[in-house]
Amino acid sequence: MPISQAETPSSSLELWPIGNCQVSGLIDQSGALVWGCIPRVDGDPTFCALLRGDAGQDLGTWRFTLENQTKVTQEYVRNTPILRTRLEDASGGAVDIFDFCPRFERQGRMYRPVAYARIVRPVSGSPRIQVTLTPMNGYGASMAPITHGSNHIRYLNDRHALRLTTNAAVGYVLDERYFRIERELAFFLGPDEPFDGNISHELDAMLRHTESYWQLWVRGLATPIDWQEAVIRAAITLKLCQHEETGAIVAALTTSIPEAPNSQRNWDYRYCWIRDSYYTVQALNRLGALDVLEKYLSYLRNLVDDSHAGVIQPLYSVSGAKEVIEWEADALPGYRGMGPVRIGNAAYYQIQNDVYGQIIIPNIQAFSDHRLLRMANKDDFTSLEKVGELAWKMHDQPDAGLWELRTRTAVHTYSSVMSWAACDRLANAAEVLGLRDRHKVWKERADTVRKNIDAGAWYEDGGHYAASFGGKELDASLLQLVELNYVTADDPRFQATLKAVETNLRRGEHMLRYANEDDFGLPETAFNICTFWLIEALHMDGRDEEARHIFEAMLAHRTRSGLLSEDMDFETSELWGNFPQTYSLVGIINCAGLLSRSWRDWR
C-alpha cells in the first residue's frame, strides 16, 4: 500500500529493498538510498546512512528532495522490486522516482551490473529538486574522493570506483543546489566506464526490461490463492537475497541491526548460512522457483568438494570463502546509534552439527526431480556420503546449536534430529539409485540415531522432548519435529511437547526461541520464524482458526514494503534485527501455503 509522510524519518526498518542478485540497496521512507554494499552484498557499505545514527544520515546516502517538500508516497511496481516514490511540494509540484537495479537477459546472458538506476519524472507543477549523493569508503570512515566531467561524476574507491552518468547538470549535483526539473532526469551509478548511448533512452529501456523480467518470473510461481500479494513479495525478496554468481543465499541484506534496543546482539547476516539457505530454497521450491534451487545446489556441491573429509561450517561468504573474520567498524555509530557495527561473523568456526542435514536434504530432491536441468548422479551421492559420515559421527556430540551460543555447548536435539534426517534421506537417495547396500547402511544408521534421540532428548519428568540431551529446557526448534518427518502431528510425544513449548515460550501472538539466559542475558524479543513455526504446529494440530488469527497478525506487523526483519518486540510489535530476514519471509510463504484455500475450492 502507498504511504504518506511529511518529513524525513529517523532510522527505522520501514525500508524498501531493490536489487538484481548482484548488488542490492535499501530505500527509506523519504526515498533515500540509505544502505548498499559494493561490489556485492557482503562488501563495503558505500551507502551506510542506516548505520550512522540519527544525526548522520546526510553521509552515506543518495537522496532527492523537493524544495518545500510536504509529502512522500511509495509503492512497488506490481510484481517487481522496482520502487516508485512520489515527492510532492507545497505548491502542487510533484515528481516520480523509479529506483531499480537492472536485471534482464541481454546478448544471451543475464545483465545484472553493479549499478543503481534512478529515473526522476516530473508529474505536475514546477518542482525544484536537490540531489544529495555522498558515497563513503572504508566502512563509513571517509567520503569517496570525487572527480568529474561534463556529464559524469567519479567516486573513487580503493577496490571499486563508481561513475554517475546523468543528463542532469553535474554542477547542480556537485553543489547540492536546488534546481527546476522540467524533463525526465536519468541517473546511472555503476562501473567506472563510459556509458554508451543516450542515458535517458537507455534507462527507460532498462526499466521496461527489468519490469518484464520480474513479472515473468512471478508469473511462473505456484502461489496459494489466499495472501498472494504477501507471498509474491516475500518470494521476490528471497530471490534478491541470492548472489547469483555463485548461488549463495544470504540470511539478510544488512549487518548489526540489534535484536533488541542496546542489547549488543548486533550481528552481520550478509553471508550464507547453510541452515537459513535450506529453509529459503525449501520455501521457494514449494512455489516452483527451481532457478534458485539449482543455483544453490551448485553452490553446495562446491562447498562439499572444498570440504575436508566432509566437514561443513555453519556459514560461508557468498564466494564460498571459509574465513569470515569478525571485527567492528568503529566509524559507524550503528542503527539509531546502538553499536557496535560488526563486519564478519565469528560463528563460522563454531561447531553446529545440524548443518549436515541441511546440506543433504535439499540435495536429495536432485536425485528424483526430472524438471531440473542437472539431475544428481552416483558421483554426487558418493560426495554427499562424506557429509553423511559426519552427520552420523556427530549426531550425539555437543555443539553450539542452531541459536549459535558462544560460551556453552550441549547435545542439541534439533542438531541430532537433523543428523537423523541426513541418514534417512541418504537412504532414500540410495534406494532411488538402486544402491541396496548403501540403502541398508543409511537406514540402519537412521534407526540408531532415532533410538539415541528418543533416549537422550526425552525429559521423563516433564513428559516432553527437551532442547538438549539430558536437559529439561525447551526451545522453539522442537516444533520442527513434524516438518522433518521425525514424528507425526498426532504422536502423543509431539502433542505433549507442543503443549510444553506453548506454555513456556509463547507470549500472546509471539514465540520466543528460548526463555533461558544466554551469553547476553534473557531474550527481550520474539524470533519471527519461531512464531511461524508455532502457526505451522497449530495447523497440524487442527487449530486452524487460531493459526489463521496469528498469521494475519504477523502479516499486519510487516513493513509497508510487505516484509519482516528477524525479531519483534512482543509487547510493542516493533521490528528489530537484520532486514529483510530470509527466515521470516520463509515463514510467510510456508504458512500461507498451509492455511490457504485450495484453488479447486475457489469460485
Side-chain angles (χ1 to χ4, degrees):
M1 294 291 294
I3 65 124
S4 298
Q5 178 152 321
E7 58 186 27
T8 301
S10 60
S11 293
S12 83
L13 294 186
E14 284 294 347
L15 302 166
W16 301 74
I18 60 173
N20 60 8
C21 304
Q22 171 65 42
V23 69
S24 57
L26 297 176
I27 310 293
D28 74 1
Q29 293 181 93
S30 71
L33 178 61
V34 295
W35 184 257
C37 301
I38 300 294
R40 63 189 195 195
V41 65
D42 59 355
D44 189 346
T46 297
F47 298 100
C48 56
L50 182 66
L51 297 185
R52 291 194 60 82
D54 290 344
Q57 293 191 6
D58 285 339
L59 295 178
T61 190
W62 186 2
R63 185 188 309 276
F64 296 103
T65 309
L66 294 188
E67 194 171 46
N68 300 316
Q69 183 173 303
T70 59
K71 188 176 181 182
V72 180
T73 307
Q74 292 173 295
E75 63 183 351
Y76 279 119
V77 175
R78 179 177 175 267
N79 292 353
T80 77
I82 300 169
L83 178 63
R84 183 188 70 84
T85 300
R86 176 162 292 184
L87 307 180
E88 299 179 47
D89 65 26
S91 302
V95 299
D96 279 344
I97 304 167
F98 291 87
D99 281 301
F100 66 102
C101 296
R103 178 178 172 84
F104 50 88
E105 190 169 323
R106 186 173 76 173
Q107 297 178 340
R109 61 181 181 178
M110 191 61 64
Y111 177 66
R112 41 175 172 76
V114 179
Y116 300 97
R118 311 191 78 176
I119 297 173
V120 185
R121 293 176 179 168
V123 174
S124 63
S126 302
R128 287 167 53 81
I129 198 168
Q130 177 191 52
V131 184
T132 304
L133 178 52
T134 55
M136 305 293 286
N137 281 340
Y139 295 86
S142 62
M143 288 187 61
I146 296 173
T147 64
H148 64 90
S150 57
N151 64 354
H152 75 269
I153 305 171
R154 296 176 68 235
Y155 299 92
L156 305 181
N157 183 289
D158 293 339
R159 295 186 176 182
H160 199 94
L162 294 172
R163 178 186 293 235
L164 175 71
T165 302
T166 181
N167 59 349
V170 167
Y172 290 155
V173 177
L174 291 170
D175 294 343
E176 298 182 5
R177 187 184 314 162
Y178 283 101
F179 63 95
R180 180 177 289 201
I181 174 171
E182 298 178 329
R183 60 189 173 95
E184 177 176 292
L185 298 181
F187 299 83
F188 185 82
L189 183 67
D192 185 21
E193 56 192 37
F195 188 96
D196 293 332
N198 179 289
I199 181 68
S200 183
H201 294 168
E202 290 298 322
L203 257 62
D204 279 340
M206 287 184 187
L207 178 63
R208 292 195 306 272
H209 295 325
T210 300
E211 179 179 349
S212 178
Y213 167 82
W214 285 105
Q215 291 181 343
L216 287 173
W217 184 80
V218 168
R219 183 173 175 237
L221 298 178
T223 61
I225 188 171
D226 297 319
W227 307 293
Q228 284 188 66
E229 291 186 6
V231 169
I232 288 170
R233 182 54 51 198
I236 288 173
T237 309
L238 285 179
K239 185 171 174 63
L240 291 182
C241 289
Q242 182 168 59
H243 184 67
E244 189 171 62
E245 182 180 335
T246 61
I249 300 169
V250 298
L253 299 179
T254 60
T255 176
S256 301
I257 308 297
E259 295 178 12
N262 298 304
S263 63
Q264 300 289 304
R265 299 174 188 263
N266 300 12
W267 313 114
D268 192 349
Y269 278 8
R270 301 171 301 149
Y271 306 104
C272 183
W273 266 260
I274 302 303
R275 180 186 311 111
D276 300 53
S277 299
Y278 155 71
Y279 282 106
T280 298
V281 296
Q282 178 196 60
L284 289 177
N285 188 42
R286 288 170 175 168
L287 298 179
L290 291 182
D291 58 331
V292 177
L293 172 65
E294 287 184 314
K295 291 180 176 66
Y296 179 62
L297 291 182
S298 176
Y299 179 77
L300 288 186
R301 286 192 289 267
N302 279 298
L303 294 187
V304 173
D305 287 347
D306 292 340
S307 68
H308 176 67
V311 175
I312 299 297
Q313 297 178 183
L315 69 140
Y316 297 82
S317 79
V318 295
S319 70
K322 296 179 179 179
E323 286 194 345
V324 190
I325 296 171
E326 185 176 303
W327 56 282
E328 295 181 5
D330 295 333
L332 294 174
Y335 179 76
R336 300 186 186 173
M338 299 176 187
V341 172
R342 293 188 173 97
I343 309 301
N345 199 301
Y348 80 89
Y349 59 73
Q350 284 187 347
I351 296 173
Q352 298 177 26
N353 294 328
D354 58 307
V355 297
Y356 299 108
Q358 286 144 355
I359 285 275
I360 288 172
I361 293 175
N363 270 285
I364 297 305
Q365 180 176 339
F367 291 95
S368 55
D369 192 337
H370 288 262
R371 297 172 298 169
L372 297 175
L373 295 175
R374 182 195 182 278
M375 293 185 66
N377 54 37
K378 290 183 179 179
D379 289 339
D380 295 313
F381 179 79
T382 300
S383 182
L384 277 182
E385 281 195 296
K386 294 191 304 180
V387 179
E389 290 291 343
L390 267 295
W392 163 246
K393 177 182 177 182
M394 304 300 289
H395 80 269
D396 58 356
Q397 298 300 304
D399 71 350
L402 79 162
W403 308 123
E404 301 184 339
L405 301 176
R406 294 197 169 197
T407 60
R408 68 187 77 169
T409 62
V411 181
H412 288 97
T413 303
Y414 178 83
S415 295
S416 295
V417 172
M418 270 294 179
S419 293
W420 166 83
C423 298
D424 179 72
R425 280 24 166 215
L426 282 172
N428 294 344
E431 187 173 28
V432 169
L433 294 172
L435 304 174
R436 295 182 180 178
D437 290 345
R438 302 313 299 164
H439 168 76
K440 181 180 178 181
V441 167
W442 289 110
K443 181 66 170 63
E444 290 176 349
R445 288 180 172 181
D447 291 343
T448 299
V449 175
R450 176 185 285 277
K451 291 176 182 177
N452 291 339
I453 293 171
D454 287 343
W458 185 256
Y459 174 47
E460 189 65 40
D461 290 347
H464 58 75
Y465 283 109
S468 64
F469 282 24
K472 60 181 181 180
E473 75 284 0
L474 294 152
D475 76 32
S477 68
L478 295 168
L479 298 177
Q480 288 285 282
L481 295 178
V482 176
E483 172 64 32
L484 291 168
N485 295 328
Y486 186 79
V487 296
T488 58
D490 59 358
D491 188 319
R493 297 170 301 172
F494 179 72
Q495 292 283 316
T497 302
L498 171 58
K499 182 179 180 180
V501 168
E502 281 196 84
T503 299
N504 284 269
L505 303 182
R506 185 170 172 178
R507 302 292 186 271
E509 297 172 345
H510 304 282
M511 179 66 76
L512 304 181
R513 49 188 163 180
Y514 47 80
N516 303 317
E517 285 196 14
D518 59 16
D519 309 332
F520 294 87
L522 288 171
E524 301 174 60
T525 52
F527 205 63
N528 289 329
I529 186 59
C530 297
T531 303
F532 287 117
W533 287 349
L534 171 64
I535 294 168
E536 293 174 7
L538 294 176
H539 164 73
M540 291 183 286
D541 194 37
R543 297 154 64 183
D544 272 8
E545 184 176 349
E546 187 178 359
R548 280 174 169 266
H549 171 76
I550 299 176
F551 183 55
E552 293 281 6
M554 287 298 290
L555 294 182
H557 295 318
R558 292 174 299 158
T559 62
R560 296 181 179 94
S561 58
L563 305 173
L564 288 168
S565 62
E566 180 184 45
D567 306 276
M568 191 182 301
D569 188 307
F570 49 80
E571 294 182 351
T572 67
S573 297
E574 183 175 6
L575 293 176
W576 290 90
N578 283 305
F579 179 89
Q581 168 64 307
T582 54
Y583 257 159
S584 302
L585 304 183
V586 163
I588 293 173
I589 293 171
N590 288 346
C591 290
L594 286 175
L595 299 174
S596 174
R597 295 168 295 165
S598 166
W599 280 97
R600 292 191 299 271
D601 298 333
W602 183 71
R603 298 291 186 270

